[in-house]
Amino acid sequence: MAERSEWAQLREQRMAEPGAHEAYQAARLAFELGRAVRQLRQQRGWSQTELAHAAGMTQSAVARFEAGGTVPTLPVLDRLADALDADLIVRVTPRSHIA
Amino acid sequence: MAERSEWAQLREQRMAEPGAHEAYQAARLAFELGRAVRQLRQQRGWSQTELAHAAGMTQSAVARFEAGGTVPTLPVLDRLADALDADLIVRVTPRSHIA
DNA sequence: GCATGCTATAGCGTTGCTGCTATGGCTTGG
DNA sequence: CCAAGCCATAGCAGCAACGCTATAGCATGC
């Protein structure tokens, strides 16, 4: 874990900055979504290449996304979810309990 | 309703195209999210300008988003939700029931 | 009439995600 | 050893969302 990818380091720097609460949350979201998708994919025994094809993208895009390389856009998330026979749920709900 | 904005027409065209299932879903999501945010904002009795300021953006950005003008990105949604004291929930869950 | 406040659009520069190809490392099987 | 498959990155073009200013429409109040 000594050396990391370019964007992984950049993202980490961002998250460490003082007034970066928003960007931090976004990066965190990207990370967790990536993990969720990876989990679903592996549960189905699919390779990144297979998922990529099913979702209309390339293996590199899947890899980048799963690693949290970028904050994905909703269209992409939707296609991935669809390929995985999953539902994409996006909601803005009044805060019930403070994090 | 005879004349519409540029992007409203563009988006409608996209949604009408034959093989545009994915883009259609994205546009739909944008629309519903916009409505949800607008509702929350109005519940608080805020103007677009006030919300914009609280979320670190301008009134025009809020208006464009609420009208479904663009498919919002997760960072923006997060900031809006935060300004509205709301939680942004994004999840990819295995399909429980077919739509 | 005029001023004020709220919302909707237009136009434009900037940023960042997407989509792609190509490559390298790693493991497994022949 | 070599081939094949999987995953991670780099580098680049293209494009859509963002962020902004300015403006117009439409009410309301003076």
Side-chain angles (χ1 to χ4, degrees), chain A residues 7-56:
Chain A
W7 35 266
Q9 294 186 36
L10 285 176
R11 218 156 263 293
E12 191 145 318
Q13 281 181 17
R14 279 196 193 174
M15 285 166 47
E17 277 168 14
H21 289 290
E22 328 87 13
Y24 168 80
Q25 291 293 347
R28 185 180 194 134
L29 236 174
F31 216 80
E32 297 183 358
L33 282 173
R35 281 203 328 192
V37 165
R38 166 165 296 184
Q39 207 169 9
L40 284 178
R41 176 177 64 80
Q42 289 178 338
Q43 276 181 14
R44 302 191 165 253
W46 287 5
S47 67
Q48 287 181 343
T49 308
E50 287 170 312
L51 173 58
H53 185 259

Side-chain angles (χ1 to χ4, degrees), chain B residues 37-49:
Chain B
V37 165
R38 166 165 297 183
Q39 207 169 9
L40 284 179
R41 176 177 63 82
Q42 289 178 337
Q43 277 181 13
R44 301 189 166 256
W46 286 6
S47 68
Q48 289 181 344
T49 307

Side-chain angles (χ1 to χ4, degrees), chain B residues 5-11 26-38 41 47-49 51-52 56-73 76-77 79-80:
Chain B
S5 65
E6 291 286 326
W7 37 265
Q9 294 186 36
L10 285 176
R11 216 156 264 292
R28 185 179 194 134
L29 237 175
F31 217 80
E32 297 183 359
L33 282 174
R35 281 205 326 195
V37 165
R38 166 165 297 183
R41 176 177 63 82
S47 68
Q48 289 181 344
T49 307
L51 173 58
M57 48 206 290
T58 55
Q59 176 263 329
S60 68
V62 174
R64 179 170 48 190
F65 163 61
E66 283 189 357
T70 61
V71 177
T73 59
V76 170
L77 272 181
R79 276 189 295 162
L80 281 172

